[in-house]
Amino acid sequence: MRAVVFEAWKTFPTLKDIEKPTPGPGEVLLKVAGAGACHSDVAVYKDFEAATAPPQLAPSYVLGHENSGWAEELGAGVEGIALGDAFLVYGPIGCGHCVACSRGEDTYCTNAATMPYMASGLGRDGGMAEYIVVPARNLVPLGDADPIKAAPLSDAGLTPYHAIKNSLPNLTGGGKFALVVGLGGLGQIAVQILTALTGATVIATDSKADAMTRAQANGAITVPSGPDQAAQIREITGGRGVDAAFDFVGIAPTIALASAVMATKSRLTVVGIAGGKYEWSFFTTPYESTLTNTYWGTIEDLYEVVAMYKAGQITPDVELFAMEDALEAYRKLEAGELTGRAVVVP
Ligand code: NAD
Ligand code: ZN
Ligand code: ZN
C-alpha cells in the first residue's frame, strides 16, 4: 500500500510502497477515510533531533495522527465492531491500565516513559496510508457522519476542545472575552468551539489576512498584528483584558502578546509547540492568572467533539489531497499556503 513515511530526523517524509498491516490481538484494521496533516508533524520531521526528542518519536513510521476510517478486519479477541462502520481514531496510546489511561487520558499515561511509541502516527504507524491498525479501545464511532471531514477532529478538534474545556470556569459568568492566536488547523476550530460553548466575545489574530477572514466567518472579531495590537485587544475588552487566551503558535512574541492582554484571574494556555520562552514577574502578572500548556485531550473529550460535529457546531475547513499528492500537503503546510486543514484521502 502507499504510505507517507518519516524515515530519518530532519528529513522530509517519503511517499512509498509498504506492506499492508494486519491487526494483532485487540486491534482493528481500518481502511483510511481521511488523515489530517498537523503542524506537529513538521516539528517532528524538520525541527526535532535525536539528542533531545522523546525516544518514542524516533523514525521510521507512517505519519498521520489525525485519522478516520472504516473497520476492515478485526484482530483476535475484538468483538462488537461491525465491519464497514466508520470510526474516528483517538490517537494517543498509553499502557491502557494505569490510573490516567483508566480515565481515557492516555496523553498523561503514567507509564509513558516505558511505552514504545506515543500515538498513532507518532512513533507507531499512523494514517497517511491506505490502511492503519489501531487498538480497538481507541475507536470513536462516527455513525453516519462524514468520516473524511471528521478526520481533523482527532487533533485539530480535540486539542483546542480540551484546552477550552479546562478554561470554561474563566469564561462563564457573562461579559467574558477569549483570545485565539494563530488561526490554522487548530485555531479555526477553537473559534468554532468557543462560539458554540461560551457566550464570550472571541477575539482572534493571525499573521495571514485570509485566516482572519475565515475566523470572522466562524464568529470572531479579528485584530491584525502591529505595534498597537495589544492596546487594540485591551480596548475591545473595555480595558479589563481577556479572561482566557489560547496560543496556537507558541513563539516568544505570541506568548508575550497574550500575556500583555490577560485580565485578573485569567488563564493563558499555550498550545503551539514552538518553544517560546516567557519571563514571569510578580509585579507585571495580573493577580491570580494562570499560564499553562496542554497536550491533546482525552477519549471522553473526543466523544464530546464528535457530538458537536454531529450537531453542526464544529465544521472543519478542509483542503483534500489524493494519496499521490500527500507530500504536497506537507509542503503547503510548511509554506503557510493552506486554506483549510489538509486531509489526505487515500
Ligand atoms: P497551522 O500551520 O495549521 O496553523 C498555524 C497558524 O499560525 C497559521 O495560520 C499561521 O499563519 C499562524 N501564525 C504563525 N505565526 C504567527 C504569528 N507570529 N502570529 C500570529 N499567527 C501566526 O498549525 P496547526 O496544525 O494548527 O498547529 C498549531 C500549533 O499547535 C503547532 O505548533 C502545533 O505543533 C501545535 N499542536 C500542539 C498540540 C498539543 O497537544 N499541544 C496538538 C496539535 C498541534
Ligand atoms: Zn497534531
Ligand atoms: Zn497508562
Side-chain angles (χ1 to χ4, degrees), residues 236-263:
I236 294 170
T237 69
R240 198 170 57 78
V242 303
D243 302 284
F246 307 90
D247 181 354
F248 295 102
V249 182
I251 55 178
T254 55
I255 301 172
L257 168 72
S259 302
V261 300
M262 300 310 295

Side-chain angles (χ1 to χ4, degrees), residues 53-313:
Q56 286 87 349
L57 285 182
S60 115
Y61 49 88
V62 177
L63 287 177
H65 56 266
E66 242 182 30
N67 310 306
S68 59
W70 298 278
E72 172 96 0
E73 189 186 333
L74 307 184
V78 178
E79 284 172 14
I81 288 177
L83 297 184
D85 276 6
F87 295 92
L88 196 59
V89 177
Y90 175 64
I93 304 175
C95 71
H97 52 76
C98 73
V99 64
C101 288
S102 75
R103 55 175 183 257
E105 198 168 39
D106 288 41
T107 42
Y108 303 142
C109 171
T110 58
N111 295 311
T114 53
M115 288 292 293
Y117 40 71
M118 290 173 73
S120 290
L122 291 168
R124 85 176 235 163
D125 286 342
M128 291 253 171
E130 291 166 66
Y131 295 90
I132 180 176
V133 162
V134 296
R137 70 184 277 271
N138 286 57
L139 295 180
V140 175
L142 282 168
D144 54 9
D146 175 3
I148 295 174
K149 253 199 154 171
L153 300 176
S154 297
D155 182 9
L158 175 57
T159 303
Y161 181 82
H162 183 74
I164 291 166
K165 191 172 165 181
N166 281 336
S167 303
L168 283 179
N170 301 82
L171 292 171
T172 53
K176 297 296 176 87
F177 294 88
L179 173 68
V180 178
V181 180
L183 299 165
L186 274 68
Q188 295 291 347
I189 296 182
V191 172
Q192 295 182 13
I193 294 169
L194 284 163
T195 306
L197 293 187
T198 78
T201 301
V202 182
I203 306 168
T205 187
D206 194 283
S207 43
K208 288 187 335 198
D210 74 293
M212 288 197 285
T213 306
R214 283 185 289 127
Q216 286 164 15
N218 287 328
I221 299 173
T222 59
V223 179
S225 45
D228 62 344
Q229 189 180 26
Q232 279 189 51
I233 292 169
R234 223 171 238 290
E235 195 180 320
I236 294 170
T237 69
R240 198 170 57 78
V242 303
D243 302 284
F246 307 90
D247 181 354
F248 295 102
V249 182
I251 55 178
T254 55
I255 301 172
L257 168 72
S259 302
V261 300
M262 300 310 295
T264 301
K265 295 193 176 186
S266 59
R267 180 180 174 99
L268 163 56
T269 308
V270 179
V271 183
I273 61 168
K277 296 214 164 54
Y278 169 75
E279 194 174 69
W280 187 90
S281 152
F282 185 97
F283 296 105
T284 56
T285 302
Y287 287 121
E288 298 183 25
S289 59
T290 303
L291 169 61
T292 189
N293 56 5
T294 189
Y295 172 51
W296 225 331
T298 70
I299 193 166
E300 181 185 46
D301 294 333
L302 192 55
Y303 272 89
E304 293 166 7
V305 167
V306 167
M308 291 184 75
Y309 174 65
K310 288 185 172 177
Q313 294 169 314

